[in-house]
């Protein structure tokens, strides 16, 4: 496993530093993380790397990546995604995005449909249905995260807090500072309503697409899976039991098997 | 000293079990708790109180902007100020202020403030707050991580719109106007500009670069404000600016009675209503991620977001609120003594007097207002004598004779 920093331009006199996790061997897979970012010793990436050559960039505001002031709207994130893929010299990788990362991945496939042949969206953000309002994660308090994001908070709760205790004020202070950095970036796509027009562009996606959803997702209702497949020409959805919004972490093997199936 | 009589305009009919039954006074409080017929009377009472304050010689009367908030019923402060502009003739109209990032396009603020300044004959004090996270992000949907950039651009547009004599093209990131052209122009060029701040270095510097008045609008009183205001004055010195106390303002809850005992007897329940009911804000709304800069956050992060803190509905007592300076309460002698401590301790020339408190009825409010004006204010007037002629930070109305119609109406 390696971590490397990509230095990318963000226009005249402006730059991004992008911290990229790379591991494993096999077909190239570009993974875009959700609003919570990658986790320490990320267990999903570790499992993925047994089957794929995994490239997982951290967006500005996450980890050591910087340059978040240059990111303002959807097109900035979408083009940054392609700039990262170019800097990594990836040719038609399997493109996978979780939650906010799924929103960005779908936009990348819509803006450059001939560059993506296989796309996997893991409970992606990006659409809005009045019948199923997306929960406001920005007003949620950290102690509420486990029950909001997980099917089984007891089993997987430690993942979100890296083993810390959200009821401990000192731990919470440090967490809030990092959480604020992350969600400052995420808010540019997701606040106050996570719809930046993706729905009107999804028709352009040519990639064979799988939309995977946790059946217990309380952040973005599984009803959105059908909405994505309705709007995309070549997509199928798979609902997975015993998983919440943190689907790739709660049902890692099922997700990876689906990705292997998609690749083949 | 400049004293501005301020009314937050709270809704006085929140139920006794409000904190147990509702998670927040702000953002998601249901409007089923509001009654527009009672609201009709209430707005008129509150405006009466502001007009009464002018008649007693307060230097300013103040209004502000909140959204989806049951303790601040002024989503449009300019409507209140417009009403006051026609019914008053002497006091400054302190609009504290318009959250300029929320107006689309923000030249609307330049126009409406200019209207208020012209109607009132040059009596406008223009406040430019970023707005709280509850207002700006949750109630008005602004993206937290972009709010400050949008604010800075709106500020640039408004100042330029007041300054330029010809239409100009404004190519901002958030606002594009081919013909930016502010009709009317304000009488004052520009009106005094007040900036509410919460302790960030960026806001200190913004005020100093532009000679704006830095205002700390807390409800937690002068004793807890010391550190923040000391930080400001240190920055003033570092910037090589003069130390005029009129560069700063502070909001303080004040209630005055004939004696300390009477103050407790008459005002205790209303203070309790404000501090223990009106300020019940869900911590998840207090600080949208990205609203504060990381630097400010590191210095100020609180532990109000634990499960235990959210579940805590314990109340602050009268003794605690008075002893800790949240509220200045008592006889005129007591209030004068504490006000002096506050004014010198914080080095402030502008006081925003929060004399209407919580669900205080009109007659109590008028009495406290009168006692402060007659038995407290005169004894504080001459503070900061070395800055007695510093008029840079206050209104410059046109002379009275040149004003049309105003005196006749207000004097009627």
């Amino acid at each position: 496993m390696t971590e490397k920093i990509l230095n990318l331009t963000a226009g005249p006199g402006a730059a991004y530093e992008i911290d990229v996790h790379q591991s494993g061997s096999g077909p190239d897979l570009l993974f875009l993380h959700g609003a919570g970012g990658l986790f320490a010793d990320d267990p999903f990436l570790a499992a993925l790397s047994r089957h794929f050559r995994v490239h997982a960039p951290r967006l500005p505001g996450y980890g050591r990546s910087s340059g978040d002031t240059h990111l303002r709207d959807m097109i900035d994130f979408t083009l940054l995604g392609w700039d990262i893929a170019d800097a990594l010299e990836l040719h038609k990788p399997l493109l996978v995005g979780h939650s906010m990362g799924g929103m960005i991945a779908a936009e990348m496939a819509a803006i450059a449909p001939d560059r993506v042949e296989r796309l996997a969206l893991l409970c992606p953000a990006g659409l809005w249905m009045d019948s199923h309002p997306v929960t406001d994660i920005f007003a949620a308090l950290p102690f509420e995260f486990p029950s909001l994001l997980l099917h089984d908070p007891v089993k997987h709760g430690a993942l979100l807090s890296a083993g810390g205790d959200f009821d401990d004020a000192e731990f919470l202070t440090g967490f809030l500072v990092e959480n604020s950095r992350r969600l400052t970036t995420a808010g540019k796509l997701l606040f106050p309503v996570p719809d930046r027009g993706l729905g009107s562009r999804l028709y352009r996606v040519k990639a064979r697409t799988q939309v995977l959803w946790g059946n217990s997702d309380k952040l973005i209702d599984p009803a959105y899976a059908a909405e994505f497949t309705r709007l995309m020409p070549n997509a199928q959805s798979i609902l997975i039991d015993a998983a919440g919004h943190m689907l790739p972490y709660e049902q890692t093997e099922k997700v990876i098997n689906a990705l292997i199936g998609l690749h083949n | 000293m400049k004293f501005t009589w301020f009314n937050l305009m709270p809704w006085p009919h929140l139920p006794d079990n409000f904190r147990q039954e509702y998670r927040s006074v702000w953002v998601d409080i249901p409007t089923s708790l509001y009654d527009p017929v009672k609201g009709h009377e209430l707005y008129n009472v509150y405006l009466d109180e502001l007009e009464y304050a002018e008649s007693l010689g307060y230097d300013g009367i103040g209004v502000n902007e909140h959204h989806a908030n049951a303790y601040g019923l002024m989503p449009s402060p300019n409507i209140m100020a417009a009403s006051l502009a026609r019914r008053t003739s002497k006091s400054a109209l302190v609009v504290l202020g318009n959250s300029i990032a929320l107006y689309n396009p923000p030249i609307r603020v330049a126009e409406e403030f200019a209207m208020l300044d012209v109607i009132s004959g040059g009596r406008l004090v223009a406040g430019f707050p970023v707005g709280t996270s509850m207002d700006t992000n949750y109630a008005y949907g602004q993206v937290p991580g972009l709010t400050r950039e949008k604010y800075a651009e709106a500020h640039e547009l408004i100042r330029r719109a007041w300054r330029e004599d010809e239409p100009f093209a404004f190519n901002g990131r958030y606002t594009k106007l081919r013909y930016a052209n502010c009709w009317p122009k304000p009488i004052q060029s520009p009106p005094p500009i007040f900036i509410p701040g919460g302790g960030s270095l960026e806001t200190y510097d913004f005020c100093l670069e532009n000679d704006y008045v830095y205002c700390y609008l807390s409800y937690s009183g002068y004793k807890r404000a010391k550190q923040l205001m000391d930080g400001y004055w240190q920055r003033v010195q570092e910037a090589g600016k003069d130390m005029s106390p009129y560069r700063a303002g502070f909001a303080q809850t004040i209630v005055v009675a004939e004696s300390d005992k009477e103050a407790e007897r008459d005002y205790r329940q209303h203070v309790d209503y404000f501090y223990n009911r009106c300020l019940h804000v869900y911590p998840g709304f207090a600080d949208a991620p990205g609203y504060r800069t990381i630097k400010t956050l590191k210095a100020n992060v609180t532990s109000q977001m634990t499960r235990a803190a959210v579940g805590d509905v314990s109340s602050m007592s009268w003794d605690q609120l008075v002893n800790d300076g949240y509220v200045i309460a008592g006889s005129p002698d007591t209030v004068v003594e504490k006000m002096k401590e506050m004014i010198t301790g914080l080095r402030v020339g502008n006081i925003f007097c929060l004399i209407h408190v919580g669900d205080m009825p009109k007659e109590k409010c008028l009495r406290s207002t009168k006692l402060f004006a007659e038995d407290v204010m005169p004894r504080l007037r001459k503070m900061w004598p070395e800055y007695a002629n510093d008029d840079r930070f206050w209104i410059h109305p046109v002379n009275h004779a040149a004003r049309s119609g105003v005196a006749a109406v207000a004097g009627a």
Side-chain angles (χ1 to χ4, degrees):
Chain A
M1 191 200 91
T2 57
E3 297 278 337
K4 75 170 169 191
I5 300 284
L6 301 176
N7 291 295
L8 304 176
T9 182
Y16 298 114
E17 286 183 322
I18 304 295
D19 179 3
V20 186
H21 161 110
Q22 290 177 305
S23 61
S25 59
D28 281 321
L29 183 153
L30 177 60
F31 178 75
L32 301 180
H33 61 70
L38 301 177
F39 299 105
D41 303 320
D42 196 286
F44 178 63
L45 296 189
L48 265 185
S49 69
R50 290 196 278 276
H51 305 275
F52 296 96
R53 174 66 178 160
V54 177
H55 310 265
R58 292 176 177 83
L59 288 172
Y62 292 76
R64 293 178 298 163
S65 295
S66 67
D68 62 289
T69 53
H70 311 308
L71 288 172
R72 292 187 181 84
D73 54 19
M74 193 71 240
I75 192 73
D76 297 331
F77 284 79
T78 309
L79 296 180
L80 175 61
W82 280 121
D83 287 351
I84 291 169
D86 289 343
L88 293 169
E89 299 180 347
L90 298 178
H91 178 69
K92 297 190 176 173
L94 173 57
L95 181 57
V96 183
H98 175 217
S99 190
M100 173 180 74
M103 179 182 186
I104 299 168
E107 287 281 2
M108 288 171 67
I111 204 169
D114 294 324
R115 293 192 64 181
V116 188
E117 288 181 349
R118 300 278 190 279
L119 173 66
L121 306 177
L122 316 180
C123 27
L127 299 181
W128 179 267
M129 298 159 75
D130 285 339
S131 57
H132 297 88
V134 176
T135 303
D136 182 7
I137 187 85
F138 295 92
L141 299 175
F143 74 80
E144 298 170 313
F145 288 175
S147 63
L148 179 61
L149 297 172
L150 293 162
H151 169 78
D152 187 346
V154 176
K155 191 170 167 193
H156 296 285
L159 176 77
L160 300 177
S161 61
D165 178 1
F166 287 136
D167 289 324
D168 174 70
E170 196 176 328
F171 168 78
L172 186 61
T173 298
F175 178 85
L176 285 172
V177 170
E178 280 309 304
N179 189 55
S180 181
R181 277 191 73 214
R182 292 189 286 263
L183 293 190
T184 298
T185 294
K188 293 172 182 175
L189 295 185
L190 306 178
F191 190 97
V193 168
D195 178 356
R196 299 294 185 268
L198 174 64
S200 63
R201 296 184 284 272
L202 281 175
Y203 76 93
R204 290 175 47 89
V205 176
K206 291 181 180 169
R208 195 176 139 210
T209 303
Q210 274 185 358
V211 180
L212 309 183
W213 227 287
N215 248 332
S216 321
D217 192 334
K218 290 189 280 289
L219 185 71
I220 311 179
D221 193 279
Y224 281 88
E227 186 64 0
F228 269 91
T229 55
R230 186 178 75 82
L231 293 168
M232 300 178 81
N234 195 12
Q236 64 164 148
S237 65
I238 304 174
L239 301 185
I240 297 174
D241 284 336
H245 192 68
M246 300 311 283
L247 162 71
Y249 299 90
E250 288 195 291
Q251 290 298 339
T252 305
E253 282 311 309
K254 284 183 182 163
V255 170
I256 286 177
N257 286 339
L259 296 179
I260 291 169
L262 175 65
H263 175 72
N264 295 329
Chain B
M1 289 299 303
K2 301 293 183 196
F3 297 95
T4 293
W5 196 96
F6 215 93
N7 195 337
L8 296 168
M9 304 202 176
W11 183 243
H13 307 297
L14 296 173
D16 291 344
N17 62 353
F18 178 70
R19 293 205 328 169
Q20 286 75 24
E21 295 297 314
Y22 299 87
R23 75 169 179 173
S24 189
V25 76
W26 209 335
V27 180
D28 64 354
I29 179 171
T31 48
S32 54
L33 293 176
Y34 185 75
D35 174 345
V37 175
K38 287 180 181 164
H40 163 71
E41 186 186 347
L42 192 68
Y43 272 136
N44 285 285
V45 166
Y46 285 161
L47 288 166
D48 286 349
E49 291 168 359
L50 283 154
E51 291 165 17
Y52 181 68
E54 167 183 74
S55 75
L56 294 172
Y58 285 83
D59 303 281
I61 47 180
V63 294
N64 69 348
E65 174 175 339
H66 284 308
H67 301 278
N69 180 340
Y71 81 69
L73 289 169
M74 288 182 281
S76 172
N78 297 355
I79 287 180
M80 306 320 258
S83 148
L84 294 168
R86 286 282 300 165
R87 299 272 299 171
T88 59
S89 60
K90 298 182 291 293
S91 292
L93 301 174
V94 181
V95 183
L96 209 56
N98 284 188
S99 301
I100 57 177
L102 301 182
Y103 293 75
N104 183 21
I107 199 167
R108 181 84 184 187
V109 175
E111 293 169 340
E112 290 193 5
F113 271 172
M115 288 174 71
L116 286 169
D117 200 47
V118 172
I119 293 169
S120 68
R123 289 187 288 132
L124 177 72
V125 169
F128 290 166
V130 173
T132 68
S133 199
M134 290 74 89
D135 294 311
T136 301
N137 305 129
Y138 290 104
Y140 260 43
Q142 300 299 309
V143 173
L146 301 175
T147 299
R148 285 170 199 279
E149 186 175 74
K150 196 174 177 197
Y151 172 92
E153 184 182 296
H155 169 257
E156 184 193 337
L157 171 60
I158 293 164
R159 287 303 313 273
R160 195 169 164 202
W162 279 344
R163 196 169 58 236
E164 300 273 2
D165 290 325
E166 300 288 335
F168 61 95
F170 187 81
N171 180 24
R173 196 182 295 279
Y174 300 94
T175 298
K176 295 186 190 295
L177 301 174
R178 187 60 188 82
Y179 303 97
N181 194 7
C182 181
W183 275 79
K185 278 288 175 61
I187 285 174
Q188 305 179 88
S189 55
I193 293 173
F194 284 27
I195 307 290
S200 77
L201 286 180
E202 293 90 341
T203 309
Y204 293 158
D205 290 346
F206 177 62
C207 288
L208 292 172
E209 283 157 18
N210 293 285
D211 283 325
Y212 294 163
V213 177
Y214 183 84
C215 302
Y216 185 33
L217 309 180
S218 96
Y219 304 126
S220 51
Y222 66 104
K223 291 185 181 171
R224 284 159 185 266
K226 180 87 174 110
Q227 192 184 355
L228 186 146
M229 291 306 295
D230 284 352
Y232 172 66
W233 289 115
Q234 189 187 332
R235 203 73 185 170
V236 175
Q237 263 182 325
E238 285 166 7
K241 292 277 184 174
D242 65 84
M243 294 284 283
S244 171
Y246 295 103
R247 290 187 179 280
F250 186 69
Q252 175 68 46
T253 301
I254 304 163
V255 286
V256 196
E258 299 294 344
S259 68
D260 294 359
K261 213 170 231 152
E262 196 181 296
E264 179 175 355
R265 185 195 70 200
D266 289 351
Y267 303 130
R268 176 186 193 130
Q269 71 183 96
H270 312 301
V271 165
D272 177 68
Y273 182 92
F274 181 69
Y275 280 91
N276 294 318
R277 218 174 291 187
C278 290
L279 295 187
H280 175 57
V281 178
Y282 181 64
F285 295 141
D287 202 348
Y291 170 75
R292 285 178 209 278
T293 63
I294 295 297
K295 197 164 67 174
T296 305
L297 192 66
K298 278 182 177 161
N300 293 312
V301 88
T302 67
S303 57
Q304 294 308 302
M305 298 196 183
T306 59
R307 193 189 314 258
V310 173
D312 180 13
V313 288
S314 61
S315 295
M316 294 181 78
S317 70
W318 170 267
D319 287 345
Q320 189 183 354
L321 289 165
V322 171
N323 293 338
D324 290 351
Y326 286 75
V327 177
I328 290 182
S331 68
D333 285 348
T334 303
V335 172
V336 165
E337 181 195 333
K338 291 187 174 177
M339 292 289 293
K340 282 184 174 165
E341 191 186 329
M342 170 179 74
I343 290 163
T344 50
L346 303 181
R347 196 179 176 84
V348 283
N350 298 286
I351 305 297
F352 310 108
C353 306
L354 303 170
I355 292 181
H356 177 277
V357 185
D359 59 349
M360 186 182 273
K362 184 177 182 179
E363 62 278 11
K364 286 189 189 179
C365 177
L366 298 190
R367 186 172 61 123
S368 185
T369 299
K370 187 164 193 273
L371 282 167
F372 186 87
E374 292 178 350
D375 297 339
V376 177
M377 232 154 58
R379 293 158 69 184
L380 304 171
R381 275 279 176 223
K382 299 251 156 58
M383 295 182 75
W384 309 117
E386 64 274 41
Y387 293 96
N389 296 320
D390 184 3
D391 67 350
R392 294 171 295 167
F393 303 98
W394 199 245
I395 57 168
H396 295 89
V398 293
N399 74 54
H400 209 263
R403 276 191 256 164
S404 175
V406 182
V409 173

